[in-house]
């Protein structure tokens, strides 16, 4: 049973065959992928979409495809994921997002991530959610802060990136369920 979530402007849902082409456009875009070691090939992009789709079908949650309510356009993904066991923060659940550049600057990543965080804590009752990115990725770090995550100040070298690579150093942000509940109570949501 796969879960679909809605915000005022977005639908977070399982993946459709029609998502694969715009997802490849996202994953092969040098600007969108500048904080990754390299853009994805068509095969790598399709493999990731297949994996996301299968995990959502299996668990009911994951990295959801995101479309705008007004025109149903695919804009990227937002959601929750269990990182590989080799990550220093594992076992954990991370929150992540990746949007097509033409949709940046509209608050869509923040809006979708807030909904995914709400799901993580209200439906899954997770004790904590983390997020990590390259130290230089200020746009994602800004979204992390906007949704209430705090920099743990425990930077690490990503185990799947060569240590000398400029993107190897990653920051780790986190929020506990209790901190999230306190924030949502204070904001009146």
């Amino acid at each position: 049973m796969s879960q679909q979530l809605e915000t005022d402007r977005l639908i977070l849902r399982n993946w459709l065959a029609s998502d694969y082409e715009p997802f490849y456009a996202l994953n092969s875009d040098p600007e969108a992928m500048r904080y990754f070691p390299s853009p994805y090939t068509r095969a790598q992009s399709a493999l990731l979409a297949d994996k996301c789709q299968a995990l959502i079908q299996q668990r009911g949650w994951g990295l959801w495809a995101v479309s705008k309510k007004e025109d149903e356009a695919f804009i990227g993904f937002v959601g929750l994921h269990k990182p590989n066991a080799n990550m220093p923060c594992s076992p954990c659940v991370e929150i992540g997002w990746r949007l097509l550049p033409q949709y940046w600057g509209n608050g869509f990543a923040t809006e979708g991530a807030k909904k995914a965080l709400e799901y993580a804590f209200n439906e899954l009752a997770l004790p904590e959610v983390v997020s990590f990115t390259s130290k230089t990725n200020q746009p994602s770090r800004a979204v992390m802060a906007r949704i209430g995550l705090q920099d743990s100040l425990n930077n690490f070298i990503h185990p799947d990136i060569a240590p000398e690579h400029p993107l190897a150093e990653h920051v780790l942000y986190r929020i506990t369920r209790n901190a999230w509940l306190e924030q949502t109570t204070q904001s009146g949501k």
Side-chain angles (χ1 to χ4, degrees):
M1 171 73 188
S2 87
Q3 184 69 39
Q4 178 173 296
L5 307 177
E6 291 189 23
T7 70
D8 289 344
R9 301 180 296 165
L10 305 173
I11 298 171
L12 285 65
R13 55 167 174 75
N14 206 345
W15 294 72
L16 305 171
S18 60
D19 298 330
Y20 282 57
E21 196 56 37
F23 190 50
Y24 172 62
L26 167 59
N27 289 325
S28 62
D29 183 293
E31 178 67 8
M33 298 298 284
R34 72 183 184 272
Y35 297 110
F36 291 84
S38 62
Y40 291 8
T41 64
R42 186 176 295 277
Q44 289 171 319
S45 182
L47 191 65
L48 178 56
D50 287 345
K51 182 179 176 183
C52 291
Q53 184 182 56
L55 287 170
I56 291 170
Q57 286 174 332
Q58 192 179 90
R59 296 188 297 225
W61 58 273
L63 293 171
W64 289 285
V66 178
S67 55
K68 290 180 7 196
K69 278 185 177 177
E70 70 177 354
D71 59 9
E72 298 183 8
F74 172 88
I75 67 168
F77 72 71
V78 174
L80 306 167
H81 180 68
K82 290 183 178 178
N84 293 336
N86 67 346
M87 293 300 293
C89 52
S90 288
C92 62
V93 173
E94 71 165 312
I95 187 167
W97 47 85
R98 188 178 308 159
L99 302 182
L100 284 156
Q102 63 263 40
Y103 298 106
W104 294 355
N106 294 295
F108 292 136
T110 300
E111 185 174 326
K114 282 183 176 179
K115 192 66 177 181
L117 210 51
E118 179 184 303
Y119 184 83
F121 292 130
N122 284 342
E123 302 302 320
L124 302 177
L126 296 175
E128 178 183 68
V129 172
V130 303
S131 193
F132 49 85
T133 190
S134 170
K135 183 180 178 183
T136 58
N137 187 346
Q138 293 303 326
S140 273
R141 292 179 72 174
V143 173
M144 292 173 193
R146 279 196 292 275
I147 64 171
L149 279 72
Q150 300 288 317
D151 188 342
S152 70
L153 306 177
N154 289 316
N155 292 10
F156 64 93
I157 300 300
H158 195 293
D160 299 331
I161 301 175
E164 65 279 2
H165 194 286
L167 298 175
E169 186 178 356
H170 273 51
V171 292
L172 176 66
Y173 281 63
R174 53 185 6 133
I175 187 170
T176 63
R177 183 171 190 265
N178 289 341
W180 178 81
L181 286 168
E182 191 175 303
Q183 286 177 10
T184 54
T185 303
Q186 288 174 356
S187 67
K189 185 163 190 256

